[in-house]
């Protein structure tokens, strides 16, 4: 059986908070293992690095490599996200955590946000369903959706529907990226900056630009 892996991006001593970055990736036949070289994994490296630069002296950053590609009834990335949160708790104790996920990783981040350590979630081009909110009892979380208006894989309408439901009990913001597509390539700086600003504000009470380098 394949197991998830935690890849360190930044591990400062005395970290005041931790960011866990979750990749997406469509399902493949059988239980195909995640490769560090697959595009859905590589896509999150610059996001994680941007966050690490923003709060490198105060925030620890890790990327998760899921057990398997995709999402099925036997095992989902939500389980890998919970595993990662357990690892963070063992290493850092009771520190606040932000989850940052792309596509199905964004959905996993939202569905794992019920953990007491999670203060905020960034859902980048998240592949979600409005009724995902029915599976949750989230309250008092900070949640940021960043979605390209030219996304043809993860419909922006679904993300808006979920955001509206979550906003009833949480602080939810939605950033439109007019030229953004699902892969976050053309407008990557917008996605990366939004994620970095959000996690530094949530975990440190400051913006990325104000963090010491």
């Amino acid at each position: 059986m394949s197991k998830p892996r935690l890849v360190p991006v930044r591990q400062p001593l005395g970290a005041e908070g931790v960011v866990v970055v979750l990749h997406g990736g469509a399902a493949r036949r059988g239980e195909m293992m995640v490769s560090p070289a697959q595009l859905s994994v590589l896509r999150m490296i610059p996001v994680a690095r941007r966050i690490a630069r923003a709060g490198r002296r105060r925030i620890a950053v890790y990327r998760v490599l899921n057990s398997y590609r995709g999402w099925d009834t036997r095992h989902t990335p939500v389980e890998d996200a919970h595993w990662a949160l357990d690892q963070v708790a063992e290493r850092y104790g009771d520190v606040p955590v932000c989850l940052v996920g792309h596509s199905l990783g964004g959905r996993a981040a939202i569905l794992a946000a019920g953990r007491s350590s999670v203060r905020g979630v960034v859902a980048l081009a998240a592949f979600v369903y409005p009724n995902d909110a029915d599976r949750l009892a989230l309250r008092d979380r900070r949640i940021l959706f960043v979605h390209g208006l030219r996304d043809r894989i993860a419909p922006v309408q679904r993300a808006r529907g979920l955001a509206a439901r979550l906003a009833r009990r949480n602080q939810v913001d939605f950033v439109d990226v007019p030229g953004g597509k699902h892969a976050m390539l053309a407008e990557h700086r917008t996605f990366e900056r939004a994620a970095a600003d959000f996690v530094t504000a949530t975990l440190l009470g400051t913006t990325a630009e104000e963090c010491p380098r």
Side-chain angles (χ1 to χ4, degrees):
M1 178 178 178
S2 180
K3 296 182 179 179
R5 288 160 285 174
L6 206 57
V7 180
V9 180
R10 186 81 68 181
Q11 302 179 94
L13 295 175
E16 299 173 38
V18 179
V19 175
V20 177
V21 178
L22 308 171
H23 65 83
R28 296 293 186 270
R29 290 185 178 180
E31 295 181 334
M32 182 173 287
M33 293 179 61
V34 168
S35 166
Q38 72 187 55
L39 291 178
S40 58
V41 173
L42 297 176
R43 189 170 289 126
M44 299 309 291
I45 292 177
V47 175
R49 287 176 175 172
R50 177 67 180 262
I51 293 170
R53 289 196 302 270
R56 63 183 180 181
R57 296 180 182 177
R58 301 170 67 183
I59 296 175
V61 182
Y62 293 88
R63 292 190 297 112
V64 176
L65 298 181
N66 290 340
S67 301
Y68 301 102
R69 298 185 68 163
W71 192 297
D72 60 38
T73 57
R74 291 167 294 179
H75 185 93
T76 77
V78 180
E79 296 170 64
D80 296 328
H82 280 296
W83 171 86
L85 290 169
D86 289 339
Q87 296 296 306
V88 166
E90 288 183 12
R91 300 181 189 191
Y92 294 95
D94 187 24
V95 298
V97 178
C98 275
L99 298 173
V100 178
H102 171 254
S103 190
L104 286 174
R107 187 186 190 198
I110 292 168
L111 293 178
R115 294 283 290 265
S116 60
S117 61
V118 177
R119 299 292 187 272
V121 172
V122 181
L124 303 171
F127 193 101
V128 295
Y129 297 90
N131 62 5
D132 281 339
D134 299 338
R135 304 169 58 183
L136 301 167
L138 287 186
R139 185 185 295 271
D140 300 326
R141 298 295 192 274
R142 295 192 65 195
I143 304 171
L144 174 66
F145 289 81
V146 188
H147 215 102
L149 299 184
R150 297 178 64 191
D151 194 324
R152 298 293 180 266
I153 296 175
V156 67
Q157 293 83 0
R158 289 183 183 175
R160 288 190 190 282
L162 179 59
R165 294 193 184 192
L166 292 174
R168 297 169 185 169
R169 297 181 177 180
N170 303 274
Q171 180 180 333
V172 179
D173 293 300
F174 204 106
V175 174
D176 292 329
V177 184
K181 297 182 181 180
H182 193 67
M184 306 188 301
L185 296 177
E187 303 293 336
H188 65 93
R189 290 185 179 86
T190 300
F191 288 94
E192 294 163 13
R193 182 173 60 251
D197 285 346
F198 177 88
V199 300
T200 52
T202 300
L203 296 177
L204 305 176
T206 186
T207 65
E209 287 74 13
E210 293 170 346
C211 289
R213 299 301 176 96

